[in-house]
Amino acid sequence: MATVLIDSFGRKAVDLRVSLTDRCNLRCTYCMPEEGLQWLAKPQLLTDDEIVRLVRIAVTGLGVTEVRFTGGEPLLRPGLVSVVERCAALEPRPELSLTTNGIGLARTAAALADAGLDRVNVSLDTLDPGVFRTLTRRDRHRDVLDGLAAAEKAGLTPVKVNSVLMRGVNDHEAPDLLAHCLEQGYELRFIEQMPLDAQHGWDRSSMVTAEEILERLSARFTLTPEPGALRGAAPAERWTVDGGPGTVGVIASVTRPFCRACDRTRLTADGQVRTCLFAREETDLRGALRGGGSDAEIAELWRAAMWGKKAGAGIDDPGFLQPDRPMSAIGG
């Protein structure tokens, strides 16, 4: 019996993204409407025990070596520290990381590090508190900066910063964001805006492309591309800045999709397997869990789902349709 998650194109999924909640305490314009969304009812969400069991099956029986906790906003999950601690105790131990908006990280970073979390990715799209309010519809910029500092102090390193540039809003800040991250010792990665907003307002023509980002950075910094062999399955293309040691990454999800090297599998907050962020099909593991399914039966469902993974997301197709579930329910 196969002990890995492999698809019909030979790609092995060793990176598991686990959405812990669909809820978020920001209302980013590129993610959800100002009034928020209709959140999943608590009985629909996986329990802590169910999450840990699925992660255990993935790590001990399906070859997963990296686990990233996402949301919504995962820091809103009451049992987060316990879930991290229990997953860190698995053998073999997976690499554990967290993608967060940083709000609340200042008070939880030390506990997460003690529980076994290895590192964090924090979203920071601007250095201007006013622009932050425009983008997120919340006045929490200082909390994000404090969260980043707390993560660094707690040893959740390398601290990675994810930035999405919006044309006419914060796209002029690319060089300043890089300068700030270099000064603080953070690893900055720019991400092309993807069609993941629940209101379906994404417009390809208004997206700031990877080439534009690099052009703006190159006006201030000398960028030297890292050899492609160092990238592996990582989505970010990386450049050394001014001779190093600092680097910057660009994830060109739309203009240069990386589907052929994808090594991810995704678990939604309500227990569905997604083979791709943009997939329209899901495989229900929650039903198997609650219906008394064995570990072997659940693993076989997961393997069957991954075998059917498509060659690509189709995001580079001008006629691409956005996913039918908001990003907060799927996980980034």
Side-chain angles (χ1 to χ4, degrees), residues 48-242:
D48 291 356
D49 287 344
E50 289 170 337
I51 290 169
V52 173
R53 183 182 174 193
L54 288 176
V55 172
R56 176 176 57 77
I57 290 170
V59 169
T60 63
L62 294 172
V64 165
T65 58
E66 301 176 39
V67 178
R68 171 86 60 88
F69 298 109
T70 70
E73 174 44 54
L75 292 180
L76 295 178
R77 178 88 186 197
L80 173 61
V81 172
S82 174
V83 168
V84 169
E85 185 173 35
R86 293 167 67 185
C87 290
L90 294 172
E91 291 291 342
R93 185 195 188 284
E95 179 182 328
L96 299 174
S97 60
L98 178 82
T99 294
T100 172
N101 61 28
I103 296 174
L105 189 57
R107 64 176 180 271
T108 56
L112 287 168
D114 289 342
L117 191 70
D118 295 305
R119 62 176 184 80
V120 293
N121 286 46
V122 181
S123 297
L124 178 66
D125 300 325
T126 177
L127 298 175
D128 184 327
V131 174
F132 185 90
R133 283 193 297 272
T134 298
L135 282 170
T136 68
R137 305 182 179 106
R138 296 291 186 271
D139 190 14
R140 307 296 297 273
H141 188 255
R142 184 71 253 171
D143 293 324
V144 179
L145 297 181
D146 290 345
L148 281 162
E152 179 76 21
K153 182 178 180 180
L156 296 173
T157 56
V159 174
K160 294 186 177 181
V161 174
N162 295 340
S163 293
V164 175
L165 298 181
M166 305 282 286
R167 194 175 302 282
V169 179
N170 66 333
D171 53 327
H172 63 286
E173 290 193 66
D176 291 337
L177 281 164
L178 178 52
H180 174 78
C181 288
L182 290 171
E183 180 181 352
Q184 299 298 322
Y186 308 147
E187 291 189 12
L188 176 62
R189 303 188 306 175
F190 291 100
I191 305 174
E192 286 183 337
Q193 183 195 0
M194 294 181 285
L196 293 168
D197 56 311
Q199 60 269 36
H200 288 194
W202 180 80
D203 182 354
R204 179 183 293 267
S205 64
S206 66
M207 180 190 70
V208 182
T209 67
E211 290 303 325
E212 292 177 271
I213 295 169
L214 292 171
E215 182 179 348
R216 295 177 192 203
L217 295 178
S218 296
R220 187 186 302 184
F221 304 98
T222 300
L223 304 182
T224 305
E226 286 191 340
L230 295 179
R231 181 181 179 185
E237 298 175 76
R238 298 208 313 173
W239 285 260
T240 301
V241 182
D242 290 343

